[in-house]
Amino acid sequence: MSKLKYYSKEGLQRLHNELHQLVTVSRPAASAAIAEARDKGDLSENAEYDAAKEAQGLLELKIANLQNEIANARLIDESKLDASKVLVFSTVKLKNHKTNTVMTYTLVPESESDFKAGKLSVESPISRGLLGCKQGEKVDVQVPAGIMTFEILEITRN
């Protein structure tokens, strides 16, 4: 049994788009590569055929894994989340008390995290320390480098 994973509407749509691309474009291309390699002669000594079959197997595995992930995906209804607390899909403006820097992160499911875009996984140490906290609170968060103290300046929802 696979673990349930939670997605935003956009994140789930990306999974569906990727699956559609693999099934409608990549799968026919893999079949064509096998047919082309098969036409080149003796299959017992045809490395191109073996490589095409292996690539097809890996593609089918990727498709199966993606279908399984979609089957176990759950959509989060952001309208039912409490806006006064830090939860998944909260955009949090933080002040690091040690460095006096202010940063803004959006907490997202692990599958949608992108640190460069300011999307922090809810599984990360900072996110876990912030979850459930309210605006104005000072939070000590255990990170690999030690304990960091943050003040939650603002919580918003996009």
Side-chain angles (χ1 to χ4, degrees):
M1 175 86 193
S2 292
K3 183 177 155 184
L4 291 178
K5 288 188 177 180
Y6 294 92
Y7 292 89
S8 65
K9 188 175 182 179
E10 297 79 24
L12 190 55
Q13 187 60 48
R14 271 194 303 274
L15 287 180
H16 282 288
N17 292 345
E18 183 181 356
L19 179 61
H20 179 71
Q21 171 75 17
L22 291 174
V23 170
T24 60
V25 177
S26 300
R27 185 182 273 166
S31 294
I34 291 171
E36 183 180 319
R38 189 181 311 124
D39 291 342
K40 293 188 177 179
D42 185 12
L43 298 182
S44 65
E45 296 179 11
N46 189 335
E48 189 176 335
Y49 177 78
D50 291 339
K53 286 295 282 182
E54 185 175 337
Q56 182 189 39
L58 293 174
L59 176 66
E60 291 301 325
L61 178 64
K62 188 172 183 178
I63 289 171
N65 287 340
L66 202 50
Q67 288 171 331
N68 187 43
E69 193 167 337
I70 289 171
N72 291 301
R74 298 296 179 263
L75 196 59
I76 295 175
D77 184 359
E78 296 179 52
S79 66
K80 294 184 180 177
L81 297 177
D82 184 358
S84 67
K85 295 180 185 176
V86 177
L87 298 171
V88 67
F89 297 117
S90 293
T91 299
V92 185
K93 189 174 188 180
L94 302 170
K95 180 179 181 183
N96 182 330
H97 276 268
K98 186 175 183 181
T99 62
N100 282 329
T101 56
V102 175
M103 58 206 99
T104 303
Y105 296 114
T106 301
L107 278 57
V108 296
E110 184 177 0
S111 59
E112 298 179 33
S113 68
D114 181 1
F115 189 74
K116 290 180 181 177
K119 295 181 177 184
L120 204 56
S121 167
V122 292
E123 301 294 323
S124 71
I126 292 175
S127 294
R128 280 189 264 142
L130 296 174
L131 288 172
C133 296
K134 296 185 177 200
Q135 186 170 322
E137 282 189 50
K138 290 184 180 177
V139 182
D140 291 328
V141 178
Q142 179 69 46
V143 295
I147 295 178
M148 297 177 75
T149 302
F150 295 103
E151 181 179 352
I152 301 172
L153 301 175
E154 185 179 9
I155 302 170
T156 57
R157 294 227 175 259
N158 295 340

